[in-house]
Amino acid sequence: MKLRIIFLLVIIMGVGNAQAQKYITKNGHIRFFSSTPVENIEADNRQVNCALDQQTGDFVFKVLMKSFEFEKALMQEHFNENYVESDKFPSATFNGKVKNIGAIDFSKNGIYNAVIEGDMTIKGITKKVSEKGTFEVKDGKVLGKSTFNLLLADYGIKIPNTVANNISKSIRIDVDVNLEKLAK
Amino acid sequence: MKKKLFVIGGSLAGIGLIAGLIVYFFVFNKPHRNYAEATPDFDLKAAALFEEFRTNPQLSSVKYNGKVLSVTGELNAVEQTDSLTIAVFGFEEGMFGSEGVRCTMIPELAGEVVKVAPGTIISLKGLCTGYNDTDVILEHCSLEK
């Protein structure tokens, strides 16, 4: 509900400005990747909600944890039941801003560097994050990309000793969102 | 005596090997659930499901997340991305466009729903992964006969 309010605020706050434009997707893609000498584990979620306000730089994500798909069914079970406890914490969110939104020319095709800061909430734990990414403006659409690492311990995700060598303590996150202009 | 030990050792090794293979294939590499063949835990109208989540997301998450649902409603649209085919039951025009129940089809079975004309009443079965403040999400969906 909280993110719904944030989503609505992102939209409503720009209503007064006729030039304000929002970009959204309901099919954002987030992949996480764990690499250890024993094995690599990756999972994909292609049903990520994301919104960007071109004027204010407000940038929000909502990710359903049960939508992550693993190659192996057992990994998916462990992820949901033991690590992220998706029954108790069904979603993860990011609520932040593109700090240099003014440097991105949404009317001109090109690839622009972006600095994104905000609050990441996973498993009920919120941490400040600051990451770099790019926005590629192409014919009115905006392709946002970022790659960064998260420490599992920061979000209270404990790895049992029995599989400690199989799962990296630091997980690489790849974000890939193809944002389209919100129809007025 | 040597022969007896050999037989016992060989038998134990054989049992160990079989047990190892069983664990490998049926535990570590057990296949994903075949949702197209699964019996639904709930059979309900898409509109009712959306309304339940919209009005009480927490209670509905406990009730439906991780369950196989069969939902029936009027197909609003079929969206296709590079890798997904999503059947949409839309009920509300929100800030993010149509909001409702979004059903990601099993790729091999996606062709069935692409042929269905918008406005047709259909039933889709899939795994409910939750409500993201705009839509209820079903994954691994198939068109019910």
Side-chain angles (χ1 to χ4, degrees), chain A residues 1 3-4 7-8 24 26-27 46-47 49 51 62 64 66-67 69-73 76-77 182, chain B residues 27 29-30 32 81 83-84 86 95-96 98-99 102 104 129-130 132-135 137 139-140:
Chain A
M1 208 60 188
L3 195 83
R4 184 180 177 84
F7 270 139
L8 295 180
I24 65 160
K26 291 183 175 183
N27 299 317
R46 298 176 191 276
Q47 293 272 33
N49 263 12
K62 180 136 185 172
L64 295 178
K66 281 190 191 290
S67 287
E69 294 186 355
F70 291 70
E71 183 191 351
K72 291 182 181 175
Q76 197 160 319
E77 270 180 31
L182 178 64
Chain B
V27 180
N29 281 317
K30 68 176 182 176
H32 283 278
T81 70
S83 55
L84 304 178
I86 303 161
M95 293 293 184
F96 283 72
S98 177
E99 296 180 359
R102 293 171 65 81
T104 305
T129 60
N132 59 16
D133 293 328
T134 60
D135 300 278
I137 304 297
E139 308 266 11
H140 309 290

Side-chain angles (χ1 to χ4, degrees), chain B residues 5 11 20 23 30 40 42 47 49 57 59 65 67 69 79 82 91 100 103 106-107 122 125 138:
Chain B
L5 280 174
S11 302
V23 168
K30 68 176 182 176
F42 293 93
L49 176 69
L59 203 67
N65 288 5
K67 299 287 194 297
L69 310 184
E79 295 176 10
D82 290 346
F91 302 108
C103 307
I106 295 169
I122 59 168
K125 181 172 65 179
L138 265 63

Side-chain angles (χ1 to χ4, degrees), chain A residues 13-138:
Chain A
M13 285 167 74
V15 168
N17 184 337
Q19 299 304 311
Q21 183 65 65
K22 318 297 179 291
Y23 290 83
I24 65 160
T25 184
K26 291 183 175 183
N27 299 317
H29 176 206
I30 289 181
R31 167 176 289 173
F32 73 71
F33 185 74
S34 158
S35 177
T36 69
V38 178
E39 67 178 334
N40 293 332
I41 299 171
E42 62 183 43
D44 293 280
N45 184 332
R46 298 176 191 276
Q47 293 272 33
V48 176
N49 263 12
C50 174
L52 169 68
D53 184 313
Q54 172 188 334
Q55 192 185 31
T56 64
D58 287 338
F59 198 33
V60 292
F61 282 84
K62 180 136 185 172
V63 184
L64 295 178
M65 302 312 273
K66 281 190 191 290
S67 287
F68 277 104
E69 294 186 355
F70 291 70
E71 183 191 351
K72 291 182 181 175
L74 188 68
M75 286 178 183
Q76 197 160 319
E77 270 180 31
H78 286 171
F79 172 78
N80 282 301
E81 292 170 11
N82 305 335
Y83 303 145
V84 298
E85 298 179 70
S86 61
D87 283 337
K88 197 172 170 186
F89 306 102
S91 61
T93 60
F94 173 79
N95 176 25
K97 273 185 183 291
V98 179
K99 297 299 285 183
N100 61 332
I101 192 76
I104 299 166
D105 185 349
F106 288 84
S107 64
K108 189 177 170 186
N109 284 358
I111 298 174
Y112 302 88
N113 291 321
V115 178
I116 299 142
E117 289 181 9
D119 297 326
M120 181 89 75
T121 303
I122 301 171
K123 215 180 165 186
I125 296 173
T126 301
K127 295 278 178 190
K128 292 274 182 206
V129 295
S130 178
E131 303 296 343
K132 290 177 181 170
T134 59
F135 286 107
E136 181 180 2
V137 176
K138 193 172 181 187

